[in-house]
């Protein structure tokens, strides 16, 4: 028991460091801030590219207009990402975030090559969307941190008393913004003299593509799920910690799928954030909750199951994790860790076998119900697959649930017998006294 508490304390300390790390939090929270725009773009893509011939014939005159929402959101998601990541990092350092965020956006645009088409100069969307996402994350962190470093050294213009606060903030950010922009102008100029030509090409070739290849594998998802579930077993929010690391990779894979779906091309990726949501984030705890509600003989477990069941339809698992509890419960460790992995493996091989389509990559809003999520991700088959995984998870949990239920039932009987004995003893004492 002492060793278990020691291990739990160590895991909580390390996980806390990851959660509290300003840079990891800035990336995670910054990408989360892009959610409204990603949802707009995802539904725009879905409505413009829905593969049903009568529908396509109906919207043919306005298909381009419907697709504008996608072009201006998911198509340029890197612009939103660089702004919000820089914004969140500046907030973490207790700095006014608006100017550093705008400076990071400027820095990203400085690094983005301008191309000429028929004497028209234009920014290619290629590097403003999914392919530019990793550059956006790096620039968001670097530009904002450099801005903060300059401000901390008071390399700013000081305005006299009585000047409106808006003017003070504008001029105080002038020198830091100029210096940061100059740094990225130099970086851009240096890369122009390399074989890559741009920072985008270099990062995409040597960082983004290898990370997507690694993070887009089934093995990588299994490792992520193991870490996630083990952390949960020790009372640490495993999803927050793990997604802070893998979310950028999985999101870029999803965005590539969304682009391909809009273009009518085959979807390039199976693994992604959408895949995790569909196959590993609902069925395991929903299956466990159904066992508690309908098969538990223990009143305590049945009551907790009834309280927790509605939330599991919307990916809210805390009532069960802490109510049963699953946390620090070695009896439930095996099914809790293995069930999402089994779901992911079944989903992956069903997709590779052609039984299921790959998710189209929509970033779902938190709380999207289980069955609806499958439809949103492009197919009724995904919705049905989500439901079919529930009995699979019930089977995985069942033998452990039976033991858990027996233990809880025995405790309830012992408590009841003790209460009855105390009541009988009290009654006898009352008779003797009288």
């Amino acid at each position: 028991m002492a060793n278990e508490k020691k291990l739990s304390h160590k895991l909580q300390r390390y996980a806390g460091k990851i959660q509290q790390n300003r840079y990891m939090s800035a990336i995670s929270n910054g990408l989360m801030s892009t959610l409204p725009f990603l949802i707009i773009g995802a539904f725009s893509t879905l409505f413009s590219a829905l593969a049903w011939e009568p529908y396509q014939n109906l919207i043919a005159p306005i298909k381009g207009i419907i697709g504008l929402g996608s072009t201006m959101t998911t198509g340029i998601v890197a612009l939103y990402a660089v702004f919000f990541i820089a914004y969140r990092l500046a907030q973490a350092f207790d700095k006014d975030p608006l100017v550093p965020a705008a400076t990071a956006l400027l820095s990203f645009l400085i690094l983005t090559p301008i191309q000429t088409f028929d004497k028209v100069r234009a920014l290619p969307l290629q590097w403003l969307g999914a392919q530019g996402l990793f550059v956006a994350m790096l620039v968001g962190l670097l530009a904002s941190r450099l801005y903060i470093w300059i401000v901390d050294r008071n390399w700013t213009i000081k305005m006299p008393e009585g000047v409106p606060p808006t003017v003070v903030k504008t001029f105080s950010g002038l020198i830091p913004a100029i210096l940061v922009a100059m740094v990225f102008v130099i970086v851009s100029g240096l890369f122009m003299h390399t074989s890559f030509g741009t920072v985008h090409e270099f990062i995409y070739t040597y960082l983004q593509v290898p990370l997507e290849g690694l993070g887009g594998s089934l093995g990588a998802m299994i490792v992520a799920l193991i870490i996630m579930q083990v952390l949960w077993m020790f009372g640490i929010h495993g999803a927050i910690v793990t997604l802070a690391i893998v979310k950028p990779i999985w999101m870029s894979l999803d965005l590539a799928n969304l682009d391909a779906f809009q273009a009518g091309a085959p979807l390039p990726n199976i693994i992604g954030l959408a895949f995790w949501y569909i196959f590993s984030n609902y069925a395991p705890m929903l299956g466990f909750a159904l066992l508690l509600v309908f098969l538990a003989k223990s009143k305590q477990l049945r009551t907790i199951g009834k309280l927790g069941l509605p939330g599991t339809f919307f990916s809210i698992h805390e009532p069960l994790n802490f109510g049963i509890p699953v946390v620090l419960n070695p009896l439930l460790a095996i099914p809790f860790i293995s069930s999402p992995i089994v779901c992911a493996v079944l989903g992956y091989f069903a997709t590779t076998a052609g039984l299921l389509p790959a998710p189209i990559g929509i970033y779902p809003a938190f709380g999207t119900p289980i069955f609806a999520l499958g439809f949103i991700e492009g197919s009724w088959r995904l919705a049905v697959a989500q439901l079919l995984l529930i009995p699979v998870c019930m089977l995985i949990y069942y033998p452990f649930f039976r033991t858990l239920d027996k233990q809880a039932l025995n405790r309830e009987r012992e408590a009841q017998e003790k209460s009855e004995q105390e009541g009988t003893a009290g009654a006898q004492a009352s008779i003797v006294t009288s």
Side-chain angles (χ1 to χ4, degrees):
M1 188 67 179
N3 290 335
E4 185 178 285
K5 288 184 177 179
K6 188 176 180 180
L7 177 61
S8 175
H9 180 70
K10 285 184 178 180
L11 285 174
Q12 288 176 348
R13 187 170 70 250
Y14 292 136
K17 287 181 178 179
I18 294 174
Q19 286 182 253
Q20 295 169 9
N21 183 277
R22 290 168 171 171
Y23 305 97
M24 297 297 295
S25 295
I27 293 175
S28 180
N29 294 333
L31 292 177
M32 184 65 70
S33 297
T34 67
L35 179 59
F37 309 102
L38 292 177
I39 291 177
I40 292 170
F43 279 101
S44 173
T45 299
L46 189 62
F47 293 143
S48 65
L50 190 62
W52 186 39
E53 188 174 351
Y55 175 78
Q56 286 296 323
N57 294 335
L58 177 66
I59 67 166
I62 58 170
K63 183 174 180 178
I65 298 174
I66 296 174
L68 279 176
S70 174
T71 303
M72 293 297 111
T73 52
T74 54
I76 57 172
V77 67
L79 296 181
Y80 299 104
V82 69
F83 181 89
F84 284 118
I85 289 170
Y87 190 98
R88 295 297 187 183
L89 185 62
Q91 277 187 328
F93 281 89
D94 297 321
K95 296 293 188 293
D96 182 57
L98 194 57
V99 178
T103 303
L105 177 59
L106 168 63
S107 303
F108 178 82
L109 292 172
I110 288 171
L111 297 179
T112 304
I114 297 176
Q115 296 180 2
T116 303
F117 304 94
D118 295 330
K119 298 182 180 181
V120 176
R121 302 179 72 207
L123 279 171
L125 292 181
Q126 174 189 3
W127 300 119
L128 304 183
Q131 285 187 228
L133 191 58
F134 274 66
V135 174
M137 289 187 288
L138 292 173
V139 172
L141 294 177
L142 293 173
S144 185
R145 187 65 185 90
L146 182 56
Y147 182 99
I148 293 164
W149 184 83
I150 294 170
V151 170
D152 285 342
R153 276 147 188 79
N154 292 319
W155 298 351
T156 60
I157 297 175
K158 305 296 183 183
M159 301 299 291
E161 294 290 337
V163 176
T166 304
V167 177
V168 172
K169 289 179 181 180
T170 300
F171 277 90
S172 66
L174 182 59
I175 291 177
I178 291 173
L179 293 177
V180 172
M182 288 174 60
V183 168
F184 282 93
V185 166
I186 293 170
V187 171
S188 181
L190 290 174
F191 270 91
M192 287 180 185
H193 292 85
T194 67
S195 59
F196 297 99
T198 67
V199 174
H200 285 277
E201 194 70 52
F202 174 77
I203 295 296
Y204 185 73
T205 303
Y206 284 100
L207 181 62
Q208 185 163 342
V209 171
L211 283 176
E212 287 179 349
L214 179 64
S217 66
L218 178 61
M221 173 152 282
I222 291 174
V223 171
L225 288 171
I226 291 173
I227 296 172
M228 191 181 299
Q229 299 303 98
V230 168
L231 289 175
W232 262 121
M233 288 299 302
F234 288 94
I236 302 164
H237 200 303
I240 291 178
V241 176
T242 309
L243 290 180
I245 299 170
V246 301
K247 183 190 288 184
I249 301 171
W250 286 355
M251 183 181 288
S252 65
L253 295 168
D254 280 344
L255 290 171
N257 275 12
L258 205 56
D259 289 342
F261 179 76
Q262 187 175 25
L267 304 186
N269 306 303
I270 296 176
I271 299 295
L273 199 61
F275 182 92
W276 171 72
Y277 267 109
I278 291 172
F279 293 104
S280 298
N281 198 40
Y282 288 87
M285 294 306 287
L286 182 50
F288 182 42
L290 290 173
L291 288 175
L292 294 171
V293 172
F294 293 105
L295 296 183
K297 296 178 181 177
S298 162
K299 292 181 180 179
Q300 177 190 357
L301 294 185
R302 193 162 58 249
T303 300
I304 295 173
K306 289 178 180 178
L307 292 173
L309 178 61
T312 59
F313 286 94
F314 304 93
S315 185
I316 299 171
H317 306 143
E318 284 79 0
L320 295 181
N321 286 340
F322 295 101
I324 295 299
V326 174
V327 172
L328 294 176
N329 190 338
L331 178 61
L332 295 175
I334 291 177
F336 184 73
I337 295 171
S338 64
S339 54
I341 295 173
V342 170
C343 290
V345 170
L346 291 175
Y348 184 85
F349 285 110
T351 305
T352 56
L355 300 175
L356 296 174
I360 63 175
I362 289 177
Y363 192 117
F366 178 77
T368 304
I370 176 173
F371 191 66
L373 180 61
F375 277 106
I376 291 172
E377 291 296 344
S379 174
W380 62 269
R381 286 184 288 169
L382 291 174
V384 172
Q386 284 192 292
L387 298 183
L388 293 178
L389 287 173
I390 296 172
V392 172
C393 293
M394 292 176 72
L395 289 174
I396 295 172
Y397 267 99
Y398 185 72
F400 305 92
F401 156 77
R402 285 290 302 274
T403 302
L404 182 73
D405 190 35
K406 286 179 181 179
Q407 291 177 352
L409 190 60
N410 288 336
R411 287 196 299 268
E412 289 174 10
R413 286 173 176 170
E414 289 173 2
Q416 184 176 358
E417 290 173 0
K418 185 178 179 180
S419 177
E420 290 175 353
Q421 289 173 358
E422 290 176 351
T424 302
Q428 291 175 348
S430 176
I431 293 172
V432 170
T433 303
S434 60

